[in-house]
Amino acid sequence: MFLAFPEKKFLINFKEKELRSAKLLLAKLEKHPQWKQQVWAVYGAQNPTQYMAESTANTMGFDKARTKACLKEYIALGWSGYVPQTCRNTVITVPSNYAWAVWGWPNKFQSRLKAYGSEIILAGPYKSQGAGAGIDTPEQLLEVPAIFNGYIWTDKIEALAPYIRKESPTEPRK
């Protein structure tokens, strides 16, 4: 994939809990150092994600436990301007149905996290039976604040692509 898209950045998902996946990826990146710049972030299972983020300079890693801890602490203390350690130098995924609870959403939150080296991904609604999917419908896309300049998680880019443009997401492109 790195060879096929040399100008692109990748978000790599560790599905298994063993460190083996991270070690294999690190070995591959050491063999091909030019690929290191293409890894934007890693996420998924906690052990390989943390191992990869700690072992590689400029690679952020995020997992469910850290994201939960960050959002919980920030929602409790964000009014004071404090940015918890769990929110620093990472990627934070914010479920769209909880964005309202994040202090200073979206501008202040974005600028605070950016100042601490973090990025934000806006995801679809969190559901009680587990993590939500992405922003997957035009209706959900309309709820994204126009001033949001983070990333949007989608599992249905083919459904959203006609609506994504700088002018307005309300009408499909012709």
Side-chain angles (χ1 to χ4, degrees):
M1 96 182 139
F2 295 119
L3 288 174
F5 301 100
E7 304 299 317
K8 301 296 181 187
K9 297 260 184 191
F10 294 92
L11 173 61
I12 297 174
N13 182 1
F14 289 115
K15 301 234 183 224
E16 57 187 48
K17 296 177 183 175
E18 294 80 27
L19 290 180
R20 187 173 73 79
S21 297
K23 288 180 178 181
L24 285 170
L25 178 58
L26 275 173
K28 201 63 130 164
L29 294 177
E30 285 171 14
K31 190 174 179 184
H32 303 278
Q34 69 277 18
W35 294 351
K36 287 181 183 179
Q37 315 310 341
Q38 290 180 259
V39 178
W40 177 70
V42 294
Y43 78 105
Q46 191 173 17
N47 288 340
T49 297
Q50 285 181 352
Y51 182 84
M52 185 74 186
E54 291 167 4
S55 302
T56 312
N58 301 322
T59 298
M60 292 187 284
F62 63 103
D63 57 62
K64 186 177 177 179
R66 184 171 182 176
T67 297
K68 265 179 116 171
C70 164
L71 289 175
K72 220 172 168 181
E73 291 176 65
Y74 187 83
I75 287 169
L77 301 169
W79 61 271
S80 69
Y82 176 71
V83 176
Q85 289 293 329
T86 53
C87 298
R88 299 176 186 191
N89 298 309
T90 191
V91 178
I92 299 301
T93 305
V94 178
S96 59
N97 57 333
Y98 284 94
W100 63 270
V102 176
W103 289 96
W105 177 261
N107 289 354
K108 196 167 287 217
F109 181 64
Q110 289 177 140
S111 64
R112 286 177 179 172
L113 265 64
K114 189 69 96 182
Y116 284 98
S118 292
E119 298 285 348
I120 301 168
I121 298 175
L122 181 62
Y126 177 83
K127 298 176 177 133
S128 61
Q129 64 269 27
I135 305 283
D136 293 334
T137 67
E139 295 77 23
Q140 289 173 322
L141 186 61
L142 282 171
E143 294 175 17
V144 176
I147 52 178
F148 178 71
N149 65 5
Y151 296 90
I152 296 174
W153 189 281
T154 186
D155 298 314
K156 307 265 182 177
I157 191 62
E158 70 281 2
L160 296 185
Y163 297 91
I164 298 174
R165 60 181 177 181
K166 290 185 180 193
E167 300 85 39
S168 169
T170 58
E171 298 175 23
R173 278 190 282 176
K174 303 213 182 291

